[in-house]
Amino acid sequence: MFINNKKMKTAIAIVLLITLISCNKNNEKADGYGNFEATEVTISAEANGKIEYLKIEEGDQLQPKTQVALIDTTQLYFTKQQLMASKSAVFSKSKNVLSQTNVLQEQLKTTLIEEKRIQSMFAENAATQRQVDEIVGKAKVLKEQIKSVATQNAPIINEVQSIDVQIEKINDQIQKSKVINPIQGTVLAKYTEANEITAFGKPLYKIADLSEMTLRVYVTETQLSKIKVGQQVSVKIDTEKEMKTSPGIISWIASAAEFTPKIIQTKEERVNLVYAVKVNVKNDGSLKIGMPAEMWIK
């Protein structure tokens, strides 16, 4: 009977020791609590019209510079064709002016040759001063006519340049009718469908790069001395059996304190001032936006 009591006491002591160790482990607290987030980009339409096609679905992985949609460009195409026709008509006017200029240039060229010949003859007393004056006067008249014709061509050139600017604007609108995905990431939400009418600034879909997530946690003033930007920490998330640990790098520490967010702690702890900290964590596919997690400095 004595032996049984001794064994029982030993067993009770072992149980109490195990319980104490377990309690100590459970009493360990993380250095920060927060939720995962990512930079979400909302892609909006830059043109008005009917969506011809939209090749995306929620969850799709998109690469940058990939065309995912097209907004109807029919009216823009007709406007461009009209401007091209106007440009051709203006060019025909310019051709007439240029042809006149070419004729006058040829006449001036011949007159200058004749002027040089008469000047040589005058130097040898083979021509009169009157002949010299006439040929010089003729050359001056032709030069003035060329200037006058060039003046007539100036507004035509300006009109052509104005049409060119309008054509470039149409080309830009046509290019913006092509929806080009700007970044690599995952489609989080799709706001419209093909054949719907969209407008400038209307959201089409939301995308975010989930390959690296950001854990935003909050620490107290006394913990600031333990952390710095670039420091490696441990990030833990809940799983079915035990907490999963991943390495993380502190990328940002707030320079000003704020009240603890309501979603983080109890009512009593919300009155405390804390500092926001961002931790970058590589995503193996298990991390989701909004998922809670813990930051452990040690």
Side-chain angles (χ1 to χ4, degrees):
M1 189 70 180
F2 175 76
I3 295 174
N4 291 338
N5 288 336
K6 187 176 180 180
K7 289 182 178 180
M8 184 177 296
K9 290 180 179 179
T10 302
I12 293 173
I14 293 173
V15 171
L16 289 174
L17 180 61
I18 294 174
T19 304
L20 180 62
I21 294 173
S22 300
C23 290
N24 288 338
K25 288 184 178 179
N26 292 334
N27 287 334
E28 290 183 0
K29 290 186 177 181
D31 296 289
Y33 302 87
N35 299 83
F36 282 107
E37 57 186 34
T39 302
E40 301 177 6
V41 180
T42 300
I43 309 302
S44 301
E46 294 185 84
N48 303 321
K50 177 183 175 182
I51 301 175
E52 294 294 332
Y53 64 82
L54 183 61
K55 297 180 180 179
I56 59 168
E57 295 296 337
E58 294 180 356
D60 285 352
Q61 300 285 333
L62 301 182
Q63 296 298 320
K65 298 182 180 180
T66 302
Q67 183 174 341
V68 297
L70 176 66
I71 301 172
D72 183 33
T73 60
T74 304
Q75 295 302 317
L76 293 174
Y77 171 78
F78 289 147
T79 302
K80 181 178 178 179
Q81 294 301 310
Q82 185 178 11
L83 289 171
M84 295 292 289
S86 299
K87 183 178 178 180
S88 299
V90 173
F91 261 131
S92 64
K93 298 179 184 178
S94 181
K95 288 180 180 179
N96 293 333
V97 174
L98 291 175
S99 63
Q100 295 178 28
T101 302
N102 292 334
V103 172
L104 293 173
Q105 289 284 5
E106 288 298 323
Q107 291 179 1
L108 178 60
K109 183 178 178 181
T110 303
T111 301
L112 290 175
I113 295 173
E114 182 68 15
E115 179 184 353
K116 184 177 181 180
R117 186 179 66 81
I118 293 176
Q119 290 282 8
S120 299
M121 292 175 61
F122 178 77
E124 297 176 358
N125 296 321
T128 63
Q129 183 64 45
R130 181 178 179 180
Q131 290 175 308
V132 173
D133 293 341
E134 287 179 351
I135 196 65
V136 171
K138 184 177 180 181
K140 288 182 178 180
V141 169
L142 288 171
K143 290 177 181 179
E144 290 299 323
Q145 289 178 340
I146 292 173
K147 290 181 179 179
S148 176
V149 172
T151 302
Q152 296 175 15
N153 195 44
I156 298 176
I157 294 176
N158 292 336
E159 188 176 355
V160 171
Q161 291 177 344
S162 176
I163 294 175
D164 284 336
V165 171
Q166 295 179 59
I167 292 175
E168 286 302 316
K169 289 175 64 177
I170 295 297
N171 287 336
D172 181 65
Q173 292 177 19
I174 292 175
Q175 185 62 31
K176 289 180 177 178
S177 296
K178 303 174 183 178
V179 181
I180 308 297
N181 182 60
I183 63 172
Q184 178 177 339
T186 304
V187 178
L188 303 179
K190 182 180 178 183
Y191 301 119
T192 188
E193 296 290 343
N195 298 316
E196 291 184 2
I197 303 299
T198 189
F200 183 88
K202 184 177 180 180
L204 301 177
Y205 64 97
K206 182 187 294 183
I207 187 172
D209 186 1
L210 304 181
S211 61
E212 185 176 75
M213 304 289 286
T214 300
L215 174 64
R216 181 189 288 268
V217 299
Y218 296 88
V219 300
T220 62
E221 184 178 359
T222 57
Q223 293 174 291
L224 284 179
S225 60
K226 300 179 182 179
I227 60 175
K228 61 182 179 179
V229 175
Q231 179 178 343
Q232 184 168 338
V233 296
S234 295
V235 174
K236 296 184 178 182
I237 60 173
D238 292 323
T239 60
E240 292 182 359
K241 297 181 179 179
E242 58 184 9
M243 299 196 76
K244 180 181 178 181
T245 304
S246 301
I249 301 294
I250 296 177
S251 61
W252 174 79
I253 301 174
S255 58
E258 58 183 289
F259 286 105
T260 309
K262 295 181 180 181
I263 62 172
I264 299 300
Q265 299 293 349
T266 63
K267 182 178 180 181
E268 291 75 14
E269 292 174 317
R270 290 177 197 160
V271 297
N272 297 332
L273 288 175
V274 293
Y275 292 82
V277 176
K278 289 183 179 180
V279 181
N280 291 341
V281 183
K282 292 291 184 181
N283 189 4
D284 59 359
S286 61
L287 306 181
K288 308 297 180 184
I289 296 176
M291 177 184 290
E294 302 175 356
M295 179 191 75
W296 293 72
I297 297 176
K298 295 181 180 181

